[in-house]
Amino acid sequence: MNICFFLGGFYQNGGIGRVTAMLANQMVQSGEYHITALCYCNPNLPNIYDVSPTIEQRFFLQTYSSMAKQLVCGGVKRLRQFLKENDIDVLIACGTLFYPISVLACKGIKTKSICWEHSDPEGNNDHRGQYWARKFGIKRSDMNVVLTKRALKVFIDKYGADNTVQIYNPVDAAVFAATGEYDPESKKIISVGRLTYQKNFQAAVKVASEVLPKFPDWQWDIFGQGEDLEELIRLAKEAQIDEQMHFNGQVTDLYERYKQYSIMVMTSRYEGFPMTLLEGIGNGLPLVSFDIPTGPSEIIDDGENGYLLQEGDINGMVYRLDQLMSNQNLRIAMSDNSRTKSRAFAIQDITEEFGKALHAVV
């Protein structure tokens, strides 16, 4: 079966490129699929995710500055021609930006279209026109794939898109390969993500300013880079926690570092399906997160492998971290539960579910 993933590319941090690479790499191992990744980016940009050499990377001409201009200036025709020339059976539009041009290009030819949602289906934070692009695409696609049960309900109830299936993102197999035994003696908290509005690390600093002074032998490390870095460093210094809270930038060996930590915290305002929490449970970490609309509540069983707090509940997060940091036995129990929970996101099982969806649509 000839499958084409249509996406921005593998050159920048973000869940879409990362999970597409993971899934496509696993799919080609079966020998059942020929995979093409059609990337809407500069072909000279290097991949930051490992992409199997058996996956053919091609590049969609960036003749115009926006996908909207592509739509009205011949982009549909060029994409349709590409699909026909390469005998593509299924085109998977990875993210709402690619929905309209994909479903239009597949109209009237043998290629089936799948719209793969990677965002909160009620959110419009990723790009201008996101709501329109989503509504237009999922009503005309042959199938839609969403990441969470809540997103599935939104697609069916709000958009009437009954041709939708729910498939979780997987835990990267490399996470399981790199993990070690949980260290209950560790006194280190980890958070991971881009230092941007979405990830809301300002809230993490507020929480840390209440928690860390009570636990002077604990450290909180944040991995990621972004435009909020200088502000966050300033806030941590003003709160006098800069010797305990560290902004470590982006690293290439994060999977190897997880075993050093005992708790993971996420303070995002919104997510599609948070890969960092998946990495956390893959490493057996107790998780503490705001209960934002999509993702955390399907990874964290509140009180079992971590805690969910109402979005923005700084005091609640402080209270739960107090509990975890002061109770080693609680951390151990939640670590065991995270290990168990992680099995639901094994990449082999997720790939099998995706394969069933592909066979159902062709």
Side-chain angles (χ1 to χ4, degrees), residues 103-260:
V103 297
L104 291 173
C106 291
K107 187 175 182 179
I109 62 175
K110 78 156 193 172
T111 306
K112 302 298 184 181
S113 62
I114 291 179
C115 291
W116 191 11
E117 181 68 50
H118 285 266
S119 303
D120 175 1
E122 293 189 297
N124 300 295
N125 296 294
D126 290 346
H127 58 81
R128 292 177 61 188
Q130 187 174 8
Y131 170 77
W132 175 87
R134 178 182 293 117
K135 185 175 182 179
F136 182 91
I138 66 178
K139 287 292 192 70
R140 293 164 175 80
S141 65
D142 294 293
M143 178 180 285
N144 305 300
V145 175
V146 296
L147 301 179
T148 66
K149 293 179 174 63
R150 179 186 175 279
L152 178 63
K153 189 174 189 305
V154 172
F155 264 52
I156 294 173
D157 294 350
K158 180 176 180 178
Y159 294 106
D162 295 327
N163 58 332
T164 303
V165 298
Q166 182 265 318
I167 304 174
Y168 288 125
N169 278 342
V171 175
D172 191 341
V175 170
F176 289 122
T179 189
E181 292 294 321
Y182 180 71
D183 181 6
E185 302 292 336
S186 170
K187 296 182 178 181
K188 298 177 71 175
I189 299 168
I190 186 171
S191 296
V192 180
R194 298 185 306 280
L195 307 183
T196 62
Y197 173 84
Q198 175 191 351
K199 302 301 181 179
N200 191 22
F201 283 114
Q202 290 82 355
V205 175
K206 290 180 181 178
V207 172
S209 69
E210 297 290 332
V211 171
L212 292 180
K214 303 175 190 176
F215 297 89
D217 51 345
W218 279 71
Q219 303 288 313
W220 190 330
D221 290 342
I222 296 176
F223 292 91
Q225 59 188 17
E227 61 268 22
D228 289 352
L229 176 59
E230 290 186 7
E231 177 194 1
L232 293 167
I233 292 175
R234 175 180 59 79
L235 291 172
K237 189 170 184 177
E238 289 176 356
Q240 299 182 342
I241 56 170
D242 49 308
E243 292 189 2
Q244 289 180 268
M245 184 170 232
H246 312 288
F247 297 91
N248 297 318
Q250 190 171 311
V251 298
T252 58
D253 62 344
L254 184 61
Y255 290 177
E256 297 293 335
R257 297 187 186 218
Y258 274 120
K259 60 177 71 76
Q260 302 172 18

Side-chain angles (χ1 to χ4, degrees), residues 5-10 37-41 57-61:
F5 290 92
F6 191 19
L7 72 160
F10 305 104
L38 183 60
C39 301
Y40 187 68
C41 65
Q57 288 190 66
R58 304 283 291 276
F59 295 88
F60 191 72
L61 292 176

Side-chain angles (χ1 to χ4, degrees), residues 9-56:
F10 305 104
Y11 69 95
Q12 62 182 349
N13 278 319
I16 295 180
R18 185 189 206 179
V19 74
T20 300
M22 289 163 48
L23 182 65
N25 288 342
Q26 188 73 22
M27 289 172 66
V28 294
Q29 290 182 21
S30 70
E32 183 179 354
Y33 305 99
H34 176 268
I35 305 291
T36 301
L38 183 60
C39 301
Y40 187 68
C41 65
N42 184 331
N44 296 318
L45 295 170
N47 293 343
I48 65 170
Y49 300 117
D50 291 332
V51 179
S52 169
T54 58
I55 294 171
E56 185 178 0

